[in-house]
Amino acid sequence: MTSTLPAKAASSTSQRGTIGGVPGAPSRTRAQALLARVTGGNDTGGTEMQAPFTGNPIATLPQATDAEARAAFSGARQAQRSWSAVPVAERQRILLRLQDLILDRRDEVLDLIQAETGKSRMDAFDEVAAAALCASYYGKHSAKLLGAKRRAGVLPVLTRTSEVRHPKGVVGIISPWNYPLALTALDVLPALAAGNAVVQKPDNQTCLSALWLHELACEAGLPEDAWTIVLGRGSVIGDAIVEESDYVGFTGSTPTGKRLAGQIAERLTSFSLELGGKNPMIVLDDAKVDAAAKGAVTACFSSAGQLCVSVERIYVHESVKEEFTRAFVAQTERLRLGAELDFSADMGSLTSADQLDTITRHVEDARGKGATVLTGGRARRELGPLFYEPTVLTDVTPEMTVYAEETFGPVVSIYGYTDLDEAVDRANATAYGLNASVWSRDGARGRAVAARIRAGTVNVNEGFAASFGSIDAPMGGVGDSGVGRRNGADGILRYTESQTIAAQRGMRLRPFRGMPPKLWTRLMSRGVKAMRHLPR
């Protein structure tokens, strides 16, 4: 079933009851009402969506077939023609209205995010902030970023050259389960601002946040058919998205990303991929230890570690390692785990049983091969079916799975070092390259170390929020962490095709009538040499 949402408010979340047995959440009836508006009430072929906090059902999700997904692209292609004709200034106004709606109605989506992901409310607010910042940024800067740019012509004055931008057409977005609101906004909103239509496939487990944002966008003035959401399994509708899109944006695992890249390459269609990471933190010998320890707690355990840019490896100079480790463990043990829909819990639960299985396997493998568990290391089923304690390991060695494989959970390993070059080399000794963190009292020194780390973003005296929240700057990975960038100019220009228009006047770029070609080439060669001295 494809979803073409009506342009009205997400009233399904305006009252609170229980959803999936989570007290205070929007009721199951109201969550199902949101889905009914999306699907016209058709829930055939559905799959059950469960609340991570309790394991109880939230809603029955209708699932699109391959044919229905392709039909969504057909409709989007028609809608794109009229949407691209809307002036960029009006598209900007819609995004700015959307920003206000996101912030004014944040409690609605905070409930949804917590109910469908299991994360704490503060971690859920990170998503609200990211979505609002994205709407604001492209609401203010799209016209400038997309506007025609003058380029130097081959002959000064006589050649007028400009670069213009056209939308790709229909953009296919495949969104992950871990940051359903933030990553929907960061990928979908700039695509719309560039004049594209969007067909999005959110993950079944966390689709309610995307549907909520869609409803708000329509309320803000977006034509409802400019952005279509299809709910379905990747094994069923994934090929349709890859084969029908003019551009594909994917966030997810590295193996899936590599497979998609191969499929997309056969069509010569452009794409961007944000994939996995095994992100390092380096604590220098001059770091403020308490600040680094507190920062590491946020860097490692936000959203229960289910964040592509979270830290899983910490390299600490031996001169401060004992002090740092003691402070970090103490800070970690103060974290309160809980399932309340308020700000009382510091960390929520995992989102799926698969994640719990992976984390348990990594920790038990490390423990069995000699690693030391300084704190954590066990599931907390008395709190809920998917809770796992924030876990700190030492004595981790290369034969352990957790050493090099992405865990994607609340597990981090601490290593000592004595030589900074060694620490940088070890931080870079991975196929991944998504995010990193450096801690030093000396900002210039920290930035210099950051520049040596092979990663798409590096934060100094922060874990990930500084770069993640800097919407004006590009974000993405290198190596097995992905291709392309979101945010900033890159984040909107990736959804466009550039076109060069060059107008010549007064002089052809060929010899004048009667002029020997040899003379022409000599004169042109002198002219090209002379032009390098002209101001640009």
Side-chain angles (χ1 to χ4, degrees), residues 91-140:
R91 295 180 220 152
Q92 289 188 147
R93 285 190 285 271
I94 291 171
L95 290 181
L96 292 177
R97 289 194 291 269
L98 175 60
Q99 180 200 23
D100 289 339
L101 290 171
I102 292 169
L103 294 174
D104 292 344
R105 299 193 1 215
R106 63 188 178 276
D107 285 339
E108 296 177 6
V109 79
L110 287 174
D111 288 346
L112 286 177
I113 293 171
Q114 284 196 273
E116 65 185 4
T117 67
K119 64 179 63 181
S120 74
R121 202 167 187 83
M122 182 57 72
D123 291 337
F125 181 75
D126 287 347
E127 295 206 49
V128 174
L133 286 169
C134 178
S136 173
Y137 179 81
Y138 291 109
K140 292 188 293 185

Side-chain angles (χ1 to χ4, degrees), residues 146 165-168 194 196 247 492-498:
L146 296 169
R165 293 278 175 170
H166 300 284
K168 291 278 189 181
N196 299 281
Y247 183 99
I492 190 170
L493 296 182
R494 62 176 166 156
Y495 297 125
T496 65
E497 296 284 4
S498 62

Side-chain angles (χ1 to χ4, degrees), residues 264-450:
I264 298 166
E266 292 182 0
R267 299 185 58 238
L268 298 180
T269 303
S270 50
F271 61 90
S272 57
L273 309 171
E274 189 199 286
L275 308 176
K278 191 71 176 176
N279 305 306
M281 172 185 288
I282 300 178
V283 180
L284 303 188
D285 55 359
D286 66 341
K288 295 180 180 179
V289 172
D290 285 344
K294 291 178 182 177
V297 169
T298 302
C300 300
F301 304 128
S302 293
S303 293
Q306 300 170 120
L307 173 59
C308 297
V309 293
S310 65
V311 166
E312 294 194 9
R313 301 177 288 150
I314 303 179
Y315 299 97
V316 189
H317 194 275
E318 288 289 356
S319 65
V320 294
K321 181 186 174 188
E322 182 178 350
E323 181 184 1
F324 171 86
T325 302
R326 184 169 56 251
F328 179 49
V329 169
Q331 292 284 342
T332 299
E333 290 177 341
R334 292 192 190 106
L335 293 176
R336 181 182 180 277
L337 278 63
E340 295 81 8
L341 297 193
D342 56 31
F343 292 99
S344 60
D346 300 305
M347 193 180 97
S349 81
L350 304 171
T351 302
S352 72
D354 285 345
Q355 287 308 117
L356 178 60
D357 290 345
T358 297
I359 292 158
T360 302
R361 177 169 51 84
H362 281 206
V363 173
E364 293 310 310
D365 173 78
R367 198 195 314 256
K369 293 175 180 176
T372 302
V373 179
L374 296 180
T375 188
R378 64 191 180 102
R380 295 289 300 276
R381 297 187 185 279
E382 76 278 12
L383 299 175
L386 301 179
F387 279 87
Y388 196 93
E389 290 180 336
T391 301
V392 181
L393 305 176
T394 59
D395 305 316
V396 173
T397 54
E399 67 271 15
M400 300 174 188
T401 303
V402 75
Y403 182 85
E405 286 190 22
E406 182 180 34
T407 304
F408 213 67
V411 179
V412 62
S413 306
I414 298 178
Y415 307 87
Y417 74 90
T418 55
D419 179 76
L420 181 57
D421 291 339
E422 172 203 355
V424 172
D425 288 344
R426 292 169 70 184
N428 289 336
T430 174
Y432 297 110
L434 188 57
N435 181 59
S437 175
V438 177
W439 290 78
S440 172
R441 292 176 188 266
D442 184 337
R445 185 185 182 205
R447 291 190 296 274
V449 173

